[in-house]
Amino acid sequence: MSIINYKNVEIQIDSNVILENINFSLNAGEFAYITGAVGSGKSSLLKTIYGEVDIFSGEAIIFDEFSMKNIRRSKLSALRKRMGIVFQDFQLLTDRSVNDN
């Protein structure tokens, strides 16, 4: 099963090209690391995977089901329930136990 499949993806924010010609796939059971200099587009790329930033062009399919180029906002909740995201500035919620977090 393909978890992520990007073909010729371009990401733009406010008419600025952030990344272009992105081609990669990630299959079930595989791990990937995204590294790069500050401002190189790492966060923008990740945001396209969970639908916070739109795909400008190309094809981006998540879980062999969700087309990130055409995804409806009403489908984002279903997508996000299938993935786990730990942000760089992640902090536990103080009103919950570690297990509840």
Side-chain angles (χ1 to χ4, degrees):
M1 171 190 209
S2 180
I3 304 298
I4 301 169
N5 193 8
Y6 275 41
K7 293 180 184 172
N8 301 314
V9 169
E10 183 172 312
I11 302 168
Q12 290 189 12
I13 299 177
D14 298 329
S15 300
N16 295 315
V17 176
I18 306 300
L19 293 168
E20 59 187 343
N21 198 29
I22 302 166
N23 293 286
F24 80 96
S25 63
L26 184 69
N27 295 313
E30 293 180 328
F31 290 89
Y33 299 91
I34 299 172
T35 63
V38 172
S40 62
K42 301 178 301 290
S43 294
S44 296
L45 174 63
L46 291 173
K47 287 177 181 182
T48 65
I49 294 170
Y50 60 87
E52 187 173 327
V53 170
D54 294 330
I55 299 296
F56 181 75
S57 65
E59 180 181 285
I61 308 294
I62 308 296
F63 298 121
D64 286 332
E65 179 180 346
F66 299 95
S67 170
M68 301 313 289
K69 175 80 172 130
N70 305 316
I71 194 165
R72 289 188 224 147
R73 295 293 164 210
S74 61
K75 296 282 187 181
L76 287 178
S77 178
L79 167 70
R80 291 172 180 169
K81 285 180 181 178
R82 293 186 59 187
M83 60 177 59
I85 302 168
V86 178
F87 297 97
Q88 180 175 328
D89 57 353
F90 174 75
Q91 295 181 19
L92 297 177
L93 301 173
T94 58
D95 65 334
R96 299 179 189 170
S97 68
V98 172
N99 188 48
D100 290 340
N101 270 274

